[in-house]
Amino acid sequence: MSDFPYVALETKGWRMAMGLRPLDLDHWLEVDERRDIELEQKRQLLDTAYDVVVATTPEGDEGSRELLAEVTSFLEAHQPDIAVDVRGDDHPLVAAARLVQEDLCVLVHSDVWRLQAACVCFPSRWNLASKLGTTLDDIHRPVPSYDVELSRPTNAFFERLKPERSFWRLNWTLIDSPALHQPTSARRSSHGDLADWFFRMERQTLRRLAHSDAIVFTIRNYVASAKELCDTHEEFGTTLLLNLDTAPDAMQSYKGWIGVADRLRASLGGASTN
Ligand code: HEM
């Protein structure tokens, strides 16, 4: 676990922020040793639950075709050892999603920016079908305080995003299952101690495609045992507790964190005296 790539937590406590950083397109997508496992999982989901993991409209087709071309040329340039097999009978977005560990979303501007095509095999407790065709504000409706804190800057960012300058951001959560595919929003009540919780980091990228003018949003998930991160990263446990404690009640409830900090505190205290 010492090589878990993104542990970043706010050291000053809970904060909801855009947190956008400039993205060098040479690092657009990330390939690691879990590629075969995750792509096999995608293959199985596409076979058994296609309508849960794929949602498309004709408005998203042009952007999807350009996205597939971008994904294949990225892999050819940066991962020359990977065989880039594109299935001709797939929707281009699905063909692209089969090649990379990321989930892929295409947003197209009509009256406003709307989600018009997506292949999301690894959702973090949200339902893709309900978001298709909707706006950034509607997509984020369940997120407490998004409307007052992030709606305006996020919409403005989408208006300004240019093909020459791409961005990335991180979004973390603490979750009671290591499964990558979590499509239901039901949040179970807190249970268990540290060993039952998992730190889930989403690395997200945002880029505007030059020809179709669509915006591509990619989501790559990294999951690690909270216990192992506490054991291997100094300060992780205390910073995690600080973030849980200082998250507003509505956010704790949205995330399923009510009562969790106290349980973790107990097991962290136990761990540190051993
Ligand atoms: C600058 C761009 C964006 C920002 C700042 C942003 C921010 C956020 C934040 C803070 C959350 C709460 C996550 C949590 O900790 O649980 C969230 C959730 C979410 N975001 Fe975004 N987001 C952005 C772009 C997008 C885009 C382009 C999509 C398109 C699919 C998207 C889809 C979602 C979904 C589906 C959720 C979960 C909502 C639910 O619970 O139903 N986000 N986002």
Side-chain angles (χ1 to χ4, degrees), residues 38-202:
E38 292 182 9
L39 294 197
E40 172 57 20
Q41 219 179 321
K42 281 191 175 192
R43 193 189 62 73
Q44 287 174 13
L45 287 162
L46 287 163
D47 279 353
T48 59
Y50 191 89
D51 292 342
V52 177
V53 299
V54 179
T56 60
T57 66
E59 286 80 0
D61 285 355
E62 194 190 348
S64 297
R65 283 192 292 271
E66 187 176 4
L67 172 57
L68 173 59
E70 288 294 329
V71 167
T72 54
S73 61
F74 177 87
L75 290 176
E76 281 159 6
H78 299 283
Q79 303 288 334
D81 296 341
I82 288 180
V84 179
D85 298 322
V86 174
R87 279 179 41 171
D89 54 342
D90 266 339
H91 187 286
L93 184 76
V94 176
R98 285 187 197 276
L99 296 172
V100 293
Q101 288 158 272
E102 280 77 7
D103 284 325
L104 304 175
C105 300
V106 172
L107 292 98
V108 178
H109 193 271
S110 45
D111 51 338
V112 289
W113 287 97
R114 289 176 184 272
L115 180 64
Q116 298 292 15
C119 179
V120 179
C121 289
F122 306 138
S124 192
R125 300 213 161 141
W126 56 278
N127 167 268
L128 173 60
S130 68
K131 313 282 189 190
L132 186 68
T134 68
T135 66
L136 285 165
D137 284 350
D138 284 337
I139 289 170
H140 290 100
R141 199 68 66 199
V143 180
S145 302
Y146 177 92
D147 54 347
V148 284
E149 289 182 36
L150 290 182
S151 164
R152 212 160 51 91
T154 302
N155 287 326
F157 166 77
F158 269 69
E159 292 306 322
R160 287 195 307 264
L161 186 60
K162 298 274 187 304
E164 309 80 62
R165 287 192 72 209
S166 305
F167 291 86
W168 68 288
R169 66 184 295 272
L170 293 172
N171 200 98
W172 67 271
T173 196
L174 189 73
I175 199 158
D176 56 3
S177 160
L180 284 178
H181 177 68
Q182 300 205 39
T184 54
S185 62
R187 296 177 200 257
R188 280 177 278 162
S189 59
S190 60
H191 69 276
D193 67 8
L194 200 57
D196 300 308
W197 288 87
F198 298 86
F199 187 69
R200 179 166 171 142
M201 184 60 92
E202 292 186 358

